[in-house]
């Protein structure tokens, strides 16, 4: 098990005074600069998926409203062949940011891995449409 240098004080303790949309926007920018997030991306890019997943899970435990981390978690799980869990992560990302193209893309890949081809096709189409209209991709 890895122990990324992670400072939970970077994240808000509760979300009681904010909507989920506000929390997603507020936490998205600070999370990308945390050591656990950066290390997770590094692990993912070098094929160390188990370690990447541990990092992203750690970030999510402190900032569950960040759609990008949920998307990255889904991506890693697709690469690991854990399609149902990947689908769940992508669905969580999309509940926070419905037009996020990468979440739709990896959702499609997860559905494809689950042999749910029609649903996968719809997700891929949504990803393509989101890329054309979304500033957050």
């Amino acid at each position: 098990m890895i122990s990324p240098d992670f400072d939970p004080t970077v994240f808000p303790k509760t979300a009681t005074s904010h909507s989920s949309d506000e929390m997603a926007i507020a936490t998205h920018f600070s999370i990308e600069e945390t050591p656990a997030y950066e290390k997770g991306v590094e692990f993912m890019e070098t094929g160390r998926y188990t370690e990447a997943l541990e990092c992203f899970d750690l970030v999510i435990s402190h900032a569950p409203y960040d759609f990008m981390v949920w998307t990255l978690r889904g991506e890693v799980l697709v690469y690991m062949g854990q399609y149902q869990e990947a689908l769940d992560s992508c669905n969580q990302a999309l509940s926070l940011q419905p037009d996020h193209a990468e979440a739709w893309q990896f959702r499609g890949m997860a559905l494809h891995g689950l042999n749910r081809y029609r649903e996968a096709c719809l997700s891929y189409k949504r990803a393509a449409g989101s890329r054309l209209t979304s500033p957050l991709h």
Side-chain angles (χ1 to χ4, degrees):
M1 175 139 199
I2 59 166
S3 298
D5 180 20
F6 184 75
D7 182 4
T9 62
V10 172
F11 305 103
K13 300 277 189 237
T14 65
T16 56
S17 64
H18 303 286
S19 72
S20 62
D21 289 342
E22 290 171 327
M23 289 301 294
I25 291 166
T27 60
H28 180 68
F29 299 103
S30 62
I31 288 171
E32 289 183 355
E33 297 177 8
T34 63
Y37 181 97
E38 291 175 356
K39 200 69 169 164
V41 170
E42 178 185 322
F43 284 140
M44 184 176 68
E45 290 173 349
T46 58
R48 296 173 61 186
Y49 301 129
T50 301
E51 293 93 341
L53 184 60
E54 290 175 5
C55 289
F56 295 143
D57 284 346
L58 181 61
V59 173
I60 287 169
S61 73
H62 292 281
Y65 298 104
D66 186 83
F67 70 92
M68 193 63 216
V69 178
W70 282 105
T71 302
L72 290 170
R73 185 178 193 278
E75 180 178 357
V76 166
L77 289 163
V78 164
Y79 297 150
M80 295 173 75
Q82 296 180 22
Y83 301 118
Q84 184 58 55
E85 197 171 348
L87 177 61
D88 295 341
S89 292
C90 291
N91 285 340
Q92 181 62 31
L94 291 166
S95 75
L96 298 168
Q97 183 66 36
D99 291 327
H100 187 59
E102 284 80 8
W104 283 108
Q105 175 186 340
F106 288 106
R107 183 179 190 273
M109 293 172 75
L111 287 164
H112 186 265
L114 293 168
N115 301 319
R116 294 166 57 181
Y117 303 118
R118 289 181 192 262
E119 291 173 89
C121 185
L122 293 173
S123 288
Y124 292 138
K125 286 181 181 180
R126 184 73 186 261
S130 292
R131 288 188 200 295
L132 297 174
T133 61
S134 176
L136 296 172
H137 66 290

